[in-house]
Amino acid sequence: MLKIKNLHASIAGKEILKGIDLTVNAGEVHAVMGPNGSGKSTLAQVLAGHPAYEVTDGSVTYDGRDLLAMDPEVRAQEGIFLAFQYPVEIPGVTNAYFLRSAYNEIRKAKGLEELDPLEFLDLMEEKMKLVDMDPAMLNRSVNTGFSGGEKKRNEILQMAVLGPRLAILDETDSGLDIDALRIVAEGVNKLRSPDNATILVTHYQRLLNHIVPDEVHVLAAGRIVRSGGKELALALEEKGYEQFAAGAGAGAAA
Amino acid sequence: MPASPPPHAISRDAYRADFERLRASELRTEPEWLGRFRAEAMESFETLGFPTMKDEDWHFTSVAPIADRVFHPAGVASISPEQVSKLGLPTLGGTSLVFVNGYFSPELSSPGNERATAGVTVQSLAAALRDAPDIQSAIGLAATSTSSAFTALNAAFFRDGALIRIAANATAAPIHIVFIAANSEGKVSHPRNIIIAGEQSQATIVESYVAADDGTYFTNAVTEVILGDGARVSHYKLQSEGTSAFHVGTIQARQPRSSYYESFSFATGADLSRTNVYTVLEGDAAECVLNGLYLADGTQHMDHQTYVEHVAPNCPSHELYKGILDGRSHGVFNGKVYVHPEAQKTDGKQSNNNLLLSDHARVDTKPQLEIFADDVKCTHGATVGRLDETALFYLRSRGLSNTVARKLLTYAFAADVLERLSLAPLRDALEARVLERFTG
C-alpha cells in the first residue's frame, strides 16, 4: 500500500529525515519508535502533507501513485488519516459540524451521497461507543476545553467515522493515563482489518502491549536504523535508545 | 475666537439654523425644562465642535464625511409591513417597538404602542414626555450632554426613541427596538432610548438599526441604561445600516451594587460607524460583560470604543471584541479601563482579536488601562493576524479543501463571540447570518 524510498525532508532549512525506507502492506501494523528529535513526528506529518515541511529527495507511493504530489485534503480523501500529537482546538466549530463536513467530503470523493445531519447523528452515536465518549461533546467546539486524553480519544473517534485505509498515529499515547490508553488502544484494535494499515509513531513501548505490531522500526537521527518484530520493542524498553544514537548499522530482523 | 473659521463651520451653522427652526415650530410646545436641556446641549455642541483626529478618542477615525456634510432632520416616512419583513430582522418573540426615521410607528410595532404588564412599561419616549413629564430626571442622567459633540447633538435634536421601565423584581420578555431609515437621503435622525431597570429586575433588550433603501443618511443614537441594585440587563445592538450611511451610537450604563450588565455590539453596516459602550461600576460587586463582533468589507470604516470605569471594589469586567476585515476596510478598537484607588479586587479582562482576510484591510487596536488600585487583576490582549495555519492543516487533513477550510475557520473566529450570547433566538439568527456570509 505504502512505499517510502529514500525520503529526505527539511523544515526551515534544517534536514530532519535523512533517507527513510519503509514499506507498509494492507492488514499490517508498523511501529516507528525513536528518541526525541529522531524525526518520528516529522515522518508522520510529511506523510499527511504538512505544508511546513519540504521534501528534498526520495519518493512515497500510495497504491502505486505519487503521494507527495497530492494536497493534504486529497490524501485524506484517498484514505489517509493522521491522528495528531497535539490536536488543534477550533473554538466556534462544533465537533458534529466538523465531522459531518469531513465525512461528506470523503463520501463525495468516492462518488457517494452525502449524509444529512440526522443520518449522520445515527452514525455518530454508534461510533462514539467505540471510544467511550459522551454524545454531548458533539455540540461542543472541536477539542475546546478537552483534556489531553479527551483530545486523543477524539482523534480515534474521527478515525472511526472517516474509516481510513492508512492511519498514522503520532504519539497518540503521550500524556495518557492507563484508562485513556486502554480506551484508545481498544478503539484502534477494533478498527483493524485486512484492508487497512496502521503506522504507530511512539516513544514508549507500553502502547505496543495493547496494539501489537507486525513490525517495529527504530528511527534515529532521521534514518531507520533497525527493523524487527515486536520483541525489538521490548529490547528497546530494556536497553534504551542509546545503542542506536549513532544511527549506524543497517537493521536486520531480530 | 480664532480669526479663521473653525473646522466644519458650514455644517455647524446648518445644525444651528435647523435647531432654531425646530424650536420655533414642532418643538414649540415642549415643557420649559426640555427646552432648556436642548438649548444647553446645542451650546455644548457648538463649543466642542466635531472631534478631529487630534482628539485622543478619535485618533484613528476621521469624522469628516459626517462633519463636512449638511444633514437636515429626517421627516416622517412610512413603509409597509411587507417591506419590513424583507429587512432581515431577527424574530425574538416579545414586544417590538419600530421607529421609522426616528419616529415611532404604532402600525409596525407589536403588540401595541404601550405595554404595561407585570411591571414592564415599553413606550415611545415622545409619548411619555407628552403624557408624564416625571421622567425629566431620567433624561440626561447617564449620558451627559457635555461629553461629546455627538451626544450633545442628540440631546439637542432627539425626537423619539424607546422608554423602557422595568419595575423592581420584574422580569421582562425580550424587547426589540427597531430603527429603520427610509427615504432619508441627506437626513439625520437622533434616536434616544432610556432603559431603567429596577432593583433585582431582569430584562433583555435588542436594538436594531437597518435601512429600507440605500441613501446617504446619518443616525446619531444615544441609549442610556440605568440599573438598580442587583438588576440584570442583557443589551444587544445590531448595526446594519445602509452601505452609504453613517452611524454614531453611544451607550452609557450606570451600575450600582450587584448589578449585571451584558452588552453585545454587532456591526456589519454603514460606510463609517462608531459605537461607544460605556459603563460605570459604582457599587460593590457590579459586573459587566462587553462583547462585540464587527465584520467589515469594501471601504467600510468601523470604530468601537469601550470604557469601563471601576469605582467600587470587587467588580469583574470582561470584554471580548472580535473583528473580521476584508477588502480595503479599516477597523478600530479602543478599550479603556479606569480603576479608581478604592476599586480593590477589580477583575478586568479585555481582549480584542482581529482577522484580516485581505492584504489591504487594516486594524488599529489600542488597549488603554489606567489602574490606581493595588490589589487588582487586570489583563489585556490584542491580536491582528491571519488564519491559523495549523488549524487549516488540521481541517485539510480531514478532507476539507483549502477554500472550505478557510471559510470554516473564518466563521469559527466569529462564532466564538456569538456562542456567548445568552438570548438563544438572537444567537441562532446571527450564527446563521454569519455562516451564510462566510461559507455561502
Side-chain angles (χ1 to χ4, degrees):
Chain A
M1 190 194 290
L2 185 77
K3 271 199 178 63
I4 305 173
K5 285 206 180 108
N6 191 33
L7 184 63
H8 289 253
S10 317
I11 182 166
K14 182 174 168 208
E15 194 182 44
I16 311 284
L17 301 180
K18 299 180 183 179
I20 303 275
D21 291 292
L22 179 65
T23 300
V24 176
N25 299 310
E28 294 175 355
V29 173
H30 289 244
V32 174
M33 306 180 71
N36 293 329
S38 54
K40 305 191 297 296
S41 276
T42 300
L43 175 61
Q45 290 182 80
V46 167
L47 289 175
H50 196 298
Y53 297 95
E54 199 198 333
V55 171
T56 51
D57 205 349
S59 70
V60 181
T61 55
Y62 176 68
D63 288 345
R65 303 196 329 269
D66 182 3
L67 182 72
L68 301 174
M70 300 181 202
D71 280 333
E73 57 266 38
V74 175
R75 301 186 200 196
Q77 288 158 17
E78 292 293 324
I80 294 188
F81 179 87
L82 170 65
F84 281 55
Q85 183 177 7
Y86 303 110
V88 182
E89 292 189 14
I90 310 183
V93 181
T94 62
N95 282 300
Y97 188 94
F98 167 54
L99 272 170
R100 184 164 54 85
S101 303
Y103 185 77
N104 282 333
E105 286 299 321
I106 289 173
R107 291 216 17 130
K108 247 190 338 198
K110 292 185 187 160
L112 296 168
E113 249 188 62
E114 296 179 31
L115 290 189
D116 70 39
L118 284 172
E119 290 169 325
F120 186 71
L121 203 59
D122 288 335
L123 176 83
M124 282 307 302
E125 273 167 11
E126 191 205 310
K127 303 289 180 186
M128 294 193 83
K129 292 196 192 113
L130 202 78
V131 284
D132 193 27
M133 279 193 106
D134 180 6
M137 65 73 92
L138 281 176
N139 292 322
R140 288 166 57 190
S141 292
V142 177
N143 293 328
T144 310
F146 281 28
S147 68
E150 284 172 329
K151 286 182 184 173
K152 296 294 172 83
R153 279 192 286 156
N154 197 16
E155 295 295 284
I156 305 305
L157 172 65
Q158 291 172 34
M159 199 172 124
V161 170
L162 302 176
R165 290 187 56 233
L166 174 63
I168 307 158
L169 276 52
D170 188 1
E171 306 230 28
T172 298
D173 55 330
S174 78
L176 292 188
D177 62 27
I178 299 172
D179 294 319
L181 183 66
R182 189 183 44 81
I183 294 170
V184 163
E186 272 176 21
V188 175
N189 280 331
K190 284 197 193 121
L191 296 169
R192 273 170 91 154
S193 87
D195 302 315
N196 61 32
T198 308
I199 298 176
L200 293 172
V201 171
T202 181
H203 185 86
Y204 296 105
Q205 183 274 335
R206 64 172 188 160
L207 177 67
L208 306 180
N209 289 334
H210 301 274
I211 307 174
V212 181
D214 298 301
E215 270 191 65
V216 175
H217 311 274
V218 183
L219 193 61
R223 284 193 187 84
I224 292 178
V225 295
R226 179 73 68 87
S227 295
K230 56 186 190 284
E231 315 76 37
L232 179 54
L234 290 162
L236 279 170
E237 185 87 330
E238 260 177 76
K239 298 185 191 143
Y241 288 109
E242 267 198 32
Q243 54 188 311
F244 303 105
Chain B
M1 284 295 272
S4 56
H8 316 132
I10 292 174
S11 69
R12 282 207 269 190
D13 290 344
Y15 282 113
R16 169 54 77 177
D18 278 330
F19 182 69
E20 295 303 335
R21 189 177 48 75
L22 281 173
R23 292 258 279 158
S25 60
E26 295 158 62
L27 303 178
R28 205 181 59 244
T29 53
E30 281 191 330
E32 206 211 312
W33 65 266
L34 188 48
R36 259 184 289 119
F37 177 77
R38 292 191 192 275
E40 280 167 15
M42 195 58 201
E43 276 168 32
S44 286
F45 165 68
E46 284 172 319
T47 310
L48 289 164
F50 282 115
T52 66
M53 289 173 85
K54 293 205 186 86
D55 277 283
E56 206 188 315
D57 284 338
W58 293 85
H59 188 56
F60 300 106
T61 298
S62 164
V63 303
I66 298 170
D68 289 345
R69 266 189 174 85
V70 172
F71 287 102
H72 292 297
V76 173
S78 73
I79 58 172
S80 66
E82 207 207 312
Q83 279 174 288
V84 177
S85 68
K86 291 193 180 126
L87 297 176
L89 293 160
T91 340
L92 305 171
T95 308
S96 77
L97 230 56
V98 179
F99 298 82
V100 180
N101 290 348
Y103 299 95
F104 178 57
S105 166
E107 321 80 58
L108 297 174
S109 304
S110 86
N113 58 354
E114 219 162 295
R115 184 176 174 81
T117 303
V120 179
T121 314
V122 182
Q123 59 187 146
S124 133
L125 178 60
L129 282 167
R130 267 193 324 265
D131 307 338
D134 67 315
I135 57 160
Q136 170 179 353
S137 51
I139 297 183
L141 205 69
T144 48
S145 310
T146 52
S147 61
S148 90
F150 292 103
T151 54
L153 262 185
N154 178 287
F157 281 96
F158 82 91
R159 302 302 296 273
D160 208 347
L163 172 62
I164 297 171
R165 283 179 286 188
I166 322 281
N169 300 301
T171 298
I175 298 163
H176 195 184
I177 324 170
V178 181
F179 295 94
I180 306 174
N183 299 326
S184 54
E185 173 70 38
K187 300 288 198 274
V188 57
S189 70
H190 306 264
R192 190 174 190 98
N193 305 301
I194 301 176
I195 300 165
I196 303 170
E199 289 186 16
Q200 308 296 332
S201 66
Q202 288 188 58
T204 300
I205 293 128
V206 179
E207 260 181 75
S208 292
Y209 293 87
V210 292
D213 47 57
D214 213 24
T216 301
Y217 63 88
F218 173 32
T219 302
N220 179 35
V222 168
T223 299
E224 298 171 289
V225 187
I226 300 141
L227 291 89
D229 288 7
R232 299 181 69 86
V233 173
S234 294
H235 182 201
Y236 308 116
K237 180 188 166 187
L238 313 180
Q239 187 275 92
S240 309
E241 303 272 27
T243 48
S244 316
F246 305 112
H247 177 103
V248 175
T250 299
I251 294 170
Q252 174 73 63
R254 288 180 66 167
Q255 297 186 242
R257 64 198 326 275
S258 303
S259 62
Y260 177 85
Y261 178 60
E262 175 200 355
S263 155
F264 174 68
S265 167
F266 181 75
T268 53
D271 182 44
L272 165 63
S273 64
R274 160 75 169 246
T275 292
N276 300 314
V277 181
Y278 305 148
T279 185
V280 185
L281 302 169
E282 302 180 300
D284 196 281
E287 183 177 347
C288 71
V289 171
L290 306 184
N291 293 336
L293 178 63
Y294 44 98
L295 311 175
D297 202 345
T299 54
Q300 287 180 299
H301 183 104
M302 282 185 194
D303 183 347
H304 280 85
Q305 183 183 65
T306 61
Y307 180 46
V308 180
E309 191 180 349
H310 285 262
V311 176
N314 303 305
C315 297
S317 67
H318 294 161
E319 289 183 71
L320 175 62
Y321 267 74
K322 284 200 172 188
I324 302 179
L325 299 110
D326 206 343
R328 313 185 83 91
S329 62
H330 185 185
V332 179
F333 178 78
N334 175 212
K336 295 167 68 164
V337 176
Y338 190 99
V339 181
H340 287 260
E342 302 77 34
Q344 301 295 2
K345 306 278 188 232
T346 285
D347 172 13
K349 290 193 182 69
Q350 182 193 99
S351 293
N352 174 231
N353 308 119
N354 297 282
L355 178 61
L356 300 180
L357 298 181
S358 74
D359 290 336
H360 291 108
R362 49 182 267 250
V363 149
D364 287 290
T365 174
K366 184 169 83 164
Q368 208 176 319
L369 277 62
E370 290 178 87
I371 302 167
F372 296 100
D374 49 33
D375 183 11
V376 305
K377 220 173 30 174
C378 286
T379 66
H380 66 92
T383 62
V384 182
R386 302 195 182 273
L387 292 170
D388 177 7
E389 292 296 327
T390 313
L392 257 176
F393 174 59
Y394 189 72
L395 295 180
R396 290 177 78 185
S397 75
R398 268 75 178 132
L400 276 66
S401 72
N402 195 18
T403 313
V404 169
R406 301 194 87 88
K407 286 179 174 176
L408 192 56
L409 286 177
T410 303
Y411 164 73
F413 183 82
D416 184 19
V417 180
L418 296 176
E419 270 177 4
R420 297 155 195 254
L421 295 183
S422 46
L423 181 59
L426 181 65
R427 182 180 65 230
D428 294 343
L430 291 181
E431 278 177 355
R433 209 170 126 179
V434 175
L435 187 64
E436 169 68 36
R437 178 184 177 119
F438 291 118
T439 66

